[in-house]
Structure formats: C-alpha cells, structure tokens
Amino acid sequence: MSRRPDPILIVDDDESVVASIRLLLKQANLPCRAAANPDDALSELERGPISLVLQDMNFSRKTTGEEGLELLARIRREHPNLPVILITAWGSIELAVAGMKQGATDFVTKPWRNQHLMQLIQTSLSLASSAADQSLSREELDRDFDFSQIIGRHPSMLSVLSKVARVCRTDAPVLILGESGTGKELIADALHQNSHRSEGPFVKVNLGGVPATLFESEMFGHVKGAFTDANRDRTGRFQAADGGTIFLDEVGDLDRASQVKLLRILQDRSFQPVGSSRTLTTDVRVISATNRDLGAMVQADDFREDLLYRLNLITLHLPPLRERRSDIALIAQLHLEHTAHTYGTGLLELSDGALAWLQQQDWPGNVRQLRQTIERAALMSGAKRLERSHFTDALSQAPGAEAASPAQAADLTLEQMERLMIERNLDRFEGNVSKTAEALGLSRPALYRRMEKYGLSDPG
C-alpha cells in the first residue's frame, strides 16, 4: 500500500482562491492545508510535514509583495528543499521573478488554467522526490532509458544524462545551453523520447530563422484572410505540438517583441491565431536551447528576465568536445560507420596517429565539426585506413582554405583553420556576411559570434 503524500500548503488570504485550489487538489487526491497569512503559514510548516507550498505574494490588501518575499525567504531558510510555487497577477510578474531569484520553484499567474497549475504542481513534486544530484553509470542509464543517439562515457556527459534521466518524465521546462555542435537537439530529442509524451508530436523550431514579422503566424497560426497572401488557415507550431513537446532552438536570437509574445503563451498555454478572436489552448512541454549567454543578455537588457525564469526551471550545460576528449574515439568510430553506410565506402578505420591528432584538436565546432571532418577526409582520400595526413589534406581543401598548403595545414589547429576559412570567404564574397555565412553553413548570428571571437571586424 502506497504512503499517503504529505499535504500541500495553500497560503492565500482570498477564501475563494483557497476553495478553488482545495477542490482542484481533492480531484487529484492530493491532501492540503491552508493559511491566510505568513504567520499562520509558518505555524502550519512547524505543525507537520508539507510536500509543497502554493503561496500568494500579497496579503492584507498590500500590493508591493514585501510580505510575500519575506515569507518566501523564511521558508527557503528554514525548509531549503521544500518546493514553493508563487501565485501572482500578470501585472506583478516582476514580483514572481524576484521570488524565483530567492529560490522559488516556479510561478503561476492569475487567472490560471487548472490543467496548467496541476502540471506545475505534479512536476514540482516529481522533481523534489528525485533531487539527488548523483551521476549514474552508462550501463545504468542504458538499462532504463533510450540514449542510443548520444555517445559518451566521460563524467561530464554522464552527469548531463543523469539529469536528463531525472527530469525526462516530468513536464519541467528545460533550457539546454552549450556551444554550437555539442548536441543540444539530441538531448532535446532524448528528453521527449523518454517522456510520457513520447507518443505525441515533437515539433522543432529554429527561432533564429523566424523573422520577427512572421513570429506570431509561425508560432500561433493564422486564419484565412488575416493578411495579404493568407490564402488559407495555418496551424501554428504550438498547436501542432499539442500533447507533445516543442523544441525552441536558438531562443537567444529572439527579438524583444517576440519574447513578450512567447512569454504570454508560456504563462497559461493559451493563444489566439493571427486574425482570429478565438482563444485556443495547447498542452505542451517546452524545451529550449541556445549557445548564447542569456544571463549576460539579461544584464544588457537584450533578453527578458521573466522569460528566462519561465524557460529554465531545469538547465542543462552541455560540455564542449575539448572538455571530454576521451569520448572522441567513440564518436569518431560512430561517424566512420555512418560515413561507410551513407556513402558506401566500405569498412573505414583510423590509424593510431590519426586518432591522436583528432584528440589533440580543440574542435570549436564540436561534434558537428568532427563529423564533417571525418566525412571529408574519408571521401577525399578514398582510403580505407585514415591517416593524419588525410585529415590535414582535407582541411587544406575546405572552402576558404585555399591559401593553406597540406604541409601548412598540418601545423594549424582547427581554430586557426576556422579563422582562415572565415577570412578567405569574406574576401571571396567582398565582405558580404550573408553570403559568407551561407557558404560556411552558418547562420548570420553564428558567423558574427565567430568573427567577434577571432577579432574580425564586420566589413559592412
């Protein structure tokens, strides 16, 4: 017989709110207690175990939220592992953000949708019950989860996969951070495939490729006649992801106006298609990713702080390949097999010297760059056994690297080669950043970040 869960504590001086939440929790077979003010709440916490706190931010007709923040600070100090979900009005989201800084688990705005509130509660309870921060072995992970697309046994990667294992079966929003090419999309896919939503859709959106003028139409859909060329109704990405997961890649590239629109749908999962007066709802889990420093962007006022807190209940930091060099042999072998299967080259292998060279490189483009380098070397050399010279030859003949001879390329690091390729392509296209980015297979923002990294000025 399973143990009855500890009660949830509702802290709110509005009797109608308390009654509404009591009924919702009763329908979910979750016990609860209530307190009308901070003093009563602290007394209830001393009275016996509580599994979660649902806390309003304003009491005694005050709207500054000072009492709410003081109560939260007491709870965090005296019960540091107790999850707290804040309740606030849309116009007081700054209060909720202040609370998140103090350690609140999440927040919900009034009026809320019951389904959304219950998802927050269940997710917070699930995360609290699996909070042990320890890495599992690769064998333990593979026994219980499908991580077959993710190669690695380095401790830093096992730490990431252990966190994925703990959160994949919840609805917690996850923010995946890491350099370009580290495998953020693979982690997002693993979160979805190992979740209770795995039978639902997995919708991927590259926000860096969505113009600001088309953001609402792309994400929320539109009705026929909403604007010129709207010849038929269009289903938006959030509606298409209903019952599943939406993956918002390059979320750091969103402009401020689009950030506000994204925040609103994340608050209660409701939206209106462009040109429609009908409000629709969607049940989705949100996973986002970026290679940008969102904290620095918040400080620079380029990214909304409240949106960041809505996205990053769980944050996963993917290690760059140079920090897990012991995985390079495993990854290289996988891509040798993939190249042989894709291009019909027959069995391929690496010499010891070639593997040593691969493990010595910093790989600024990470796993993606390693894969492309292996494919290029295999196809250009035609050899079954790849030597170090095959890789340096292939690099010297990459687009934009015409100025480096094979002998010179052997003495260049990949970062030096990448800078050389950018410089040569900028010269080739007479400073046209768009054409240079296209030739190198990069987005404009990604190319600008690399130019900044290497101290290259914008020719325009």
Side-chain angles (χ1 to χ4, degrees), residues 333-382:
Q333 182 58 41
L334 173 73
H335 291 307
L336 284 172
E337 294 171 1
H338 174 78
T339 300
H341 175 75
T342 302
Y343 299 105
T345 61
L347 184 65
L348 296 170
E349 61 177 331
L350 289 174
S351 70
D352 291 343
L355 177 58
W357 184 85
L358 293 176
Q359 291 175 324
Q360 290 167 2
Q361 305 309 305
D362 282 342
W363 299 108
N366 295 289
V367 177
R368 183 184 298 124
Q369 187 178 17
L370 173 61
R371 182 191 72 235
Q372 293 172 343
T373 302
I374 288 173
E375 289 182 353
R376 182 183 295 276
L379 295 175
M380 292 184 64
S381 70

Side-chain angles (χ1 to χ4, degrees), residues 149 256 420:
Q149 298 301 309
R256 292 281 295 190
L420 180 61

Side-chain angles (χ1 to χ4, degrees), residues 70-128:
E70 290 172 3
L71 173 59
L72 175 62
R74 285 284 300 274
I75 294 174
R76 292 267 55 82
R77 185 165 61 249
E78 298 173 17
H79 307 273
N81 298 320
L82 182 61
V84 179
I85 297 176
L86 304 179
I87 304 173
T88 186
W90 171 263
S92 302
I93 287 182
E94 287 185 5
L95 268 181
V97 171
M100 295 288 282
K101 288 181 177 178
Q102 288 188 197
T105 306
D106 212 325
F107 65 93
V108 63
T109 55
K110 300 177 182 177
W112 61 77
R113 286 175 51 238
N114 285 343
Q115 181 184 14
H116 181 49
L117 177 57
M118 281 307 306
Q119 283 180 340
L120 292 182
I121 292 171
Q122 296 287 7
T123 294
S124 297
L125 292 174
S126 296
L127 292 175

Side-chain angles (χ1 to χ4, degrees), residues 139-372:
E139 289 71 25
E140 289 173 314
L141 290 164
D142 289 338
R143 184 185 63 223
D144 298 325
F145 302 91
D146 180 9
F147 293 150
S148 56
Q149 298 301 309
I150 302 168
I151 307 302
R153 291 180 172 273
H154 189 277
S156 63
M157 203 63 199
L158 292 181
S159 176
V160 170
L161 293 179
S162 296
K163 292 176 182 176
V164 172
R166 287 198 296 274
V167 305
C168 62
R169 289 167 183 165
T170 74
D171 278 327
V174 177
L175 174 62
I176 307 171
L177 302 176
E179 296 177 6
S180 177
T182 49
K184 296 186 288 294
E185 185 174 326
L186 289 178
I187 293 294
D189 187 69
L191 283 163
H192 173 72
Q193 295 301 332
N194 291 279
S195 75
H196 66 91
R197 296 175 177 270
S198 59
E199 298 300 317
F202 181 47
V203 176
K204 306 174 187 179
V205 188
N206 183 347
L207 293 177
V210 179
T213 54
L214 297 178
F215 179 81
E216 286 184 283
S217 174
E218 184 72 23
M219 305 305 293
F220 312 140
H222 64 247
V223 298
K224 181 178 179 180
F227 50 83
T228 304
D229 296 330
N231 300 319
R232 56 184 176 83
D233 291 353
R234 176 191 173 94
T235 299
R237 299 299 189 94
F238 272 95
Q239 188 176 354
D242 188 37
T245 304
I246 189 166
F247 175 45
L248 306 176
D249 199 6
E250 303 292 354
V251 70
D253 290 346
L254 272 184
D255 67 284
R256 292 281 295 190
S258 297
Q259 290 174 32
V260 174
K261 296 165 186 173
L262 177 59
L263 178 63
R264 284 195 171 273
I265 191 172
L266 296 184
Q267 298 292 1
D268 60 7
R269 302 300 194 270
S270 66
F271 63 96
Q272 287 184 334
V274 178
S276 173
S277 59
R278 221 166 31 116
T279 297
L280 305 178
T281 60
T282 184
D283 171 24
V284 297
R285 188 204 192 156
V286 178
I287 300 172
S288 52
T290 184
N291 55 16
R292 306 187 70 177
D293 185 342
L294 295 186
M297 291 180 66
V298 167
Q299 293 298 317
D301 202 30
D302 291 329
F303 199 85
R304 291 182 63 98
E305 188 175 33
D306 45 9
L307 177 57
L308 175 58
Y309 279 112
R310 182 54 79 192
L311 294 172
N312 74 340
L313 178 58
I314 301 296
T315 301
L316 301 176
H317 295 266
L318 300 195
L321 194 52
R322 62 184 173 276
E323 292 180 6
R324 55 182 187 111
R325 295 178 192 271
S326 59
D327 283 339
I328 288 177
L330 292 172
I331 297 169
Q333 182 58 41
L334 173 73
H335 291 307
L336 284 172
E337 294 171 1
H338 174 78
T339 300
H341 175 75
T342 302
Y343 299 105
T345 61
L347 184 65
L348 296 170
E349 61 177 331
L350 289 174
S351 70
D352 291 343
L355 177 58
W357 184 85
L358 293 176
Q359 291 175 324
Q360 290 167 2
Q361 305 309 305
D362 282 342
W363 299 108
N366 295 289
V367 177
R368 183 184 298 124
Q369 187 178 17
L370 173 61
R371 182 191 72 235
Q372 293 172 343

